[in-house]
Amino acid sequence: MDEVGRGALAGPVSVGVVVIDESSRTAPQGVRDSKLLTPAARVAMVPKLRRWAVAYAVGHASAAEIDQIGIMRALRLAGERALAALPVIPDLVILDGNHDWLTDPARVGLFGLLDAPATPPVRTMIKADMKCSSVAAASVLAKVERDGMLVDRHERFPQYNWAGNKGYSAPDHLAALDQHGPCELHRRSWRRFVAEAPVAGDPERMQV
């Protein structure tokens, strides 16, 4: 699994999941270099990745949900939605980075054991999107789907140029916010929009 849109100012945070097993063939060429691909090349890779995967899905959490529950819980929600959309249950989930944002800490009991696990076991891996083809593939699927969502909303809110910046803090987006202010698809709990600091002692409310 991999996430995209975590640091954006607008739009959802999205999580892709790609399932492979011992019968899976070699991944499509170029998937591990997905961050170097052009947007058009990423779009062209999507059908190849879907044919390669045993199963795949993308889950989203909206800007309103991010404002309501915080980015970390929203990441988990998007990941849970992606897993729920799969026709199979993975035996193991590999996450990019060194933080398990998928496992609900409220379900962790004594000795770090899960009392009632809602998700499969999770293993984190630094730079997994460069080392693990399935994680890289999940990143591509999530990015292409999320980018498409922002492009679709560009016509309704052309002043922010989401077709170009995909909701991130690019200079044109920041300039438009200074001129027009935020709309309902912006994450209004972000420091860009409010002066208050994150709630002390609650890392899940920390804004990135």
Side-chain angles (χ1 to χ4, degrees), residues 8-159:
L9 298 176
V13 63
S14 304
V15 174
V17 55
V18 167
V19 180
I20 59 172
D21 61 18
E22 68 277 2
S23 68
S24 299
R25 298 170 295 171
T26 302
Q29 186 175 3
V31 65
R32 294 194 189 184
D33 299 320
S34 60
K35 294 187 185 300
L36 304 178
L37 298 177
T38 64
R42 280 195 295 268
V43 170
M45 184 173 285
V46 167
K48 300 177 184 178
L49 297 176
R50 289 175 174 173
R51 289 193 297 268
W52 171 65
V54 172
Y56 60 86
V58 179
H60 309 278
S62 69
E65 289 172 323
I66 294 170
D67 286 341
Q68 181 179 6
I69 62 177
I71 185 61
M72 300 310 296
R73 291 189 181 98
L75 267 174
R76 186 179 309 126
L77 179 61
E80 290 171 348
R81 287 170 174 167
L83 288 171
L86 292 175
V88 298
I89 300 176
D91 297 310
L92 176 71
V93 171
I94 298 176
L95 294 181
D96 184 34
N98 60 3
H99 174 58
D100 177 5
W101 44 261
L102 183 62
T103 303
D104 187 350
R107 292 180 176 269
V108 177
L110 294 176
F111 311 110
L113 299 177
L114 291 178
D115 296 328
T119 57
V122 171
R123 178 181 300 169
T124 59
M125 181 185 300
I126 302 295
K127 296 185 178 179
D129 57 343
M130 299 176 65
K131 300 175 182 177
C132 181
S133 295
S134 59
V135 175
S139 176
V140 171
L141 296 186
K143 182 163 181 57
V144 169
E145 189 163 319
R146 184 186 181 277
D147 283 358
M149 294 170 72
L150 270 295
V151 171
D152 288 345
R153 287 158 175 76
H154 174 87
E155 185 174 350
R156 183 180 173 194
F157 301 100
Q159 65 270 33

